[in-house]
Amino acid sequence: MKKSAFLLMAAALLTSCGQKSAPTLKAPIRVKTEVVSAATDVNGQTYVGIVEEREATAVSFTSMGTVKRVLVSEGQRVSAGQLIAEIDDTQARNLLSGAEAQMAQANDALERYKMLHDNGSLPEVQWVEIQSKVAQAKSQLEVAKKNLADCRLVAPVSGVVGKKQIGAGETALPSQAVVSILDISAVKVKVAVPEAEIGSINATTPSTILVEAINGSYQGGQIEKGVQADALTHTYDIRINVANSDRKLLPGMVANVRFASDGSQAVGSKMVPVTAVQRKSDGSLFVWTIGKDSTAHRITVTIGQPQGNYVSVIDGLNTGDRVATEGYQKLSEGTKVIY
């Protein structure tokens, strides 16, 4: 009986030793990745800017009066010398009529006294007095003519009508803007740049302007740098000149501005996000690359100068390689990933 039990136990043991357990598969680790790009493909930090007109001209009357009519509307293109608005000119016409009458009277007196003066019958003092009255009448006539002309408001420059401030029937005050005329043949994009980054931007730094409102991309031109920082935000205002011959860029549009390399990176040098670069205990640097089979590999790299949120890679990577930028903490050589 004991012998039979022993044989059964031995058989069970041999059976269990002959069976191999199935290997346990690890689930792939999710990571975020980015493809290594050339320096010319990375424009560094992105800023938000606002489109401004190149120049704005406020157009106003020089005297007070009731607006009779406004002949332009917002967004309308106008030319220099075009009539913009008129105010009631009744009083100006009456003043002109009175000045013309005084001028005629002064000229008549001058003619009559001239004959006496030529005959030597008029004292010199009285002759000078007559000439002075003629000059005064002429001056008053010129003023009256100008007052009448000033009742018509004409565009001093060509451009696009911005905001209309006054309508017909309202009282216009001297120097109170009736409309503003905007020059948008070229525009400026205003950007606030933090003080820590303003030093990397100069007057000729290349830039790309992206405007989602019109789905347009523009190359920035000359840059105007402000020299006084905002006391609260510690940012400096810069303005980028942008050609706008098609007049699609309008004041107030939001633009995304990206500045290109300042030239410190060699053309074609490889760029990776700063967050992708890790440091070993011995001080050497490495990145996790993701192969075509979705496996992770640790690659030692040599880096160069930073450019915004990116850094150049001198050795270790090729353009087009895929590197892990987030979620790499659990990676080891050969780990399967999904991205």
Side-chain angles (χ1 to χ4, degrees):
M1 188 72 178
K2 291 182 179 179
K3 186 176 180 180
S4 298
F6 176 77
L7 291 174
L8 289 172
M9 292 177 63
L13 181 61
L14 290 172
T15 302
S16 63
C17 290
Q19 292 178 347
K20 294 183 179 179
S21 58
T24 302
L25 297 177
K26 292 184 178 180
I29 297 175
R30 181 174 295 278
V31 296
K32 286 188 177 182
T33 66
E34 189 165 323
V35 176
V36 177
S37 60
T40 52
D41 295 329
V42 179
N43 292 319
Q45 183 66 40
T46 300
Y47 303 86
V48 177
I50 298 295
V51 177
E52 296 180 341
E53 66 278 358
R54 180 168 68 175
E55 188 173 355
T57 303
V59 185
S60 60
F61 289 103
T62 58
S63 59
M64 185 175 69
T66 302
V67 177
K68 191 160 58 174
R69 56 177 181 164
V70 179
L71 302 173
V72 296
S73 57
E74 295 182 1
Q76 178 181 337
R77 294 189 63 180
V78 296
S79 302
Q82 181 176 336
L83 183 62
I84 299 293
E86 291 180 310
I87 59 175
D88 185 23
D89 60 359
T90 303
Q91 183 177 4
R93 289 188 179 280
N94 292 336
L95 292 175
L96 177 60
S97 297
E100 289 174 339
Q102 289 182 356
M103 186 75 251
Q105 184 179 7
N107 284 332
D108 181 66
L110 181 65
E111 290 294 328
R112 289 186 287 104
Y113 280 102
K114 186 177 183 304
M115 292 186 292
L116 295 176
H117 178 265
D118 292 343
N119 293 332
S121 304
L122 185 69
E124 190 66 26
V125 174
Q126 194 171 358
W127 173 242
V128 172
E129 182 180 351
I130 294 298
Q131 288 180 315
S132 297
K133 289 182 177 180
V134 171
Q136 291 176 1
K138 184 177 180 180
S139 176
Q140 292 175 356
L141 178 61
E142 294 300 323
V143 170
K145 288 180 178 180
K146 186 177 185 306
N147 287 339
L148 180 60
D150 288 344
C151 292
R152 293 166 51 88
L153 186 62
V154 298
V157 294
S158 299
V160 177
V161 177
K163 195 166 185 64
K164 186 166 67 171
Q165 307 284 357
I166 297 178
E170 298 182 66
T171 300
L173 300 176
S175 301
Q176 179 185 10
V178 177
V179 297
S180 58
I181 299 178
L182 310 179
D183 180 2
I184 59 171
S185 57
V187 296
K188 297 180 181 181
V189 178
K190 177 183 175 183
V191 180
V193 179
E195 61 181 11
E197 302 168 12
I198 191 67
S200 64
I201 300 173
N202 56 52
T204 58
T205 299
S207 60
T208 302
I209 315 296
L210 303 174
V211 183
E212 293 184 0
I214 57 174
N215 194 27
S217 176
Y218 299 82
Q219 291 302 312
Q222 190 81 4
I223 295 176
E224 303 170 8
K225 290 177 62 174
V227 296
Q228 187 171 0
D230 185 278
L232 295 177
T233 62
H234 295 282
T235 58
Y236 290 83
D237 285 341
I238 68 170
R239 287 175 170 82
I240 308 167
N241 288 276
V242 182
N244 189 34
S245 57
D246 55 5
R247 304 311 200 269
K248 288 185 178 180
L249 289 173
L250 300 176
M253 285 184 173
V254 177
N256 291 320
V257 180
R258 290 185 291 179
F259 292 102
S261 170
D262 59 2
S264 59
Q265 311 293 351
V267 174
S269 63
K270 297 168 287 292
M271 306 295 294
V272 297
V274 174
T275 56
V277 181
Q278 306 299 309
R279 187 180 296 275
K280 296 180 183 178
S281 58
D282 61 1
S284 61
L285 302 175
F286 70 94
V287 298
W288 287 104
T289 63
I290 309 301
K292 293 182 179 180
D293 57 353
S294 298
T295 57
H297 303 282
R298 183 185 305 202
I299 302 296
T300 301
V301 296
T302 303
I303 66 172
Q305 295 296 320
Q307 180 183 318
N309 295 327
Y310 290 78
V311 65
S312 66
V313 177
I314 299 173
D315 185 45
L317 292 176
N318 295 314
T319 301
D321 289 346
R322 184 176 294 276
V323 297
T325 58
E326 292 184 30
Y328 45 72
Q329 292 81 358
K330 296 181 180 180
L331 296 181
S332 59
E333 184 66 29
T335 301
K336 287 288 185 178
V337 301
I338 54 176
Y339 55 88

